[in-house]
Amino acid sequence: MSIEIRPVVAADYQAWLPLWQGYQRFYMTEIPAETSAVTWQRFLDPAEPMGAALAWQGDQAIGLVHWVIHRSTWTTGDYCYLQDLFVAKGERSGGIGRKLIQHVYDHARAAGCSRVHWLTHESNSQAMLLYERIGERSGFVQYRKLLQ
């Protein structure tokens, strides 16, 4: 069966939520329900610099991708941060992740972005096999400080 990638609409919430929760389990984290609700509303607001799409196989959502468009001091074009990518466990290694990333590439290009970038955990070796083929490793190391 073919895979269709399309931006989320309000009616997709019940299809999106289990994938979003699966993503959180994969990364062994739990995002508060209130935060997820705000995030969902941001995806639907055209004034927000955030977007989301789902991978559909028939009437079943089997993958998600989220992105954020942001300014850069290094270029005149915005950057697109591919923040979250998840494919349901039984559907991995079938090219769905690549299609979701390509959707973000296409969206970013249409929005005039000069770069798409993303992070993954060092233990996510399966995904890194794909990332090595479709992107370039930057060599940068992420540091962070939680403020809340």
Side-chain angles (χ1 to χ4, degrees):
M1 188 175 282
S2 68
I3 303 299
E4 180 185 5
I5 311 297
R6 61 178 194 256
V8 297
V9 295
D12 293 336
Y13 181 78
Q14 293 303 321
W16 169 81
L17 186 59
L19 291 167
W20 178 230
Q21 292 167 335
Y23 177 83
Q24 292 172 55
R25 281 190 300 278
F26 181 83
Y27 281 110
M28 295 178 282
T29 192
E30 190 173 329
I31 296 171
E34 302 80 33
T35 301
S36 293
V38 168
T39 297
W40 179 255
Q41 290 307 309
R42 288 176 176 164
F43 292 150
L44 302 176
D45 184 346
E48 286 285 344
M50 298 177 76
L54 293 172
W56 293 90
Q57 188 172 52
D59 62 355
Q60 181 72 34
I62 57 173
L64 65 74
V65 67
H66 304 150
W67 62 89
V68 180
I69 305 291
H70 65 92
R71 298 281 191 216
S72 171
T73 60
W74 288 27
T75 63
T76 56
D78 290 343
Y79 285 0
C80 179
Y81 175 49
L82 191 161
Q83 187 163 17
D84 309 307
L85 177 70
F86 181 74
V87 175
K89 190 172 185 176
E91 305 296 335
R92 295 182 189 145
S93 298
I96 298 162
R98 178 187 296 266
K99 288 180 181 190
L100 287 162
I101 292 169
Q102 186 62 53
H103 179 84
V104 175
Y105 285 173
D106 294 344
H107 176 82
R109 191 174 291 110
C113 294
S114 60
R115 174 183 298 176
V116 174
H117 63 108
W118 64 94
L119 303 169
T120 195
H121 193 270
E122 62 190 13
S123 66
N124 196 1
S125 57
Q126 183 177 0
M128 289 171 68
L129 292 172
L130 169 62
Y131 302 159
E132 293 289 337
R133 291 191 306 271
I134 64 168
E136 299 171 8
R137 193 181 288 216
S138 69
F140 284 89
V141 176
Q142 180 192 35
Y143 291 87
R144 65 182 176 191
K145 171 74 173 158
L146 298 179
L147 301 177
Q148 294 181 5

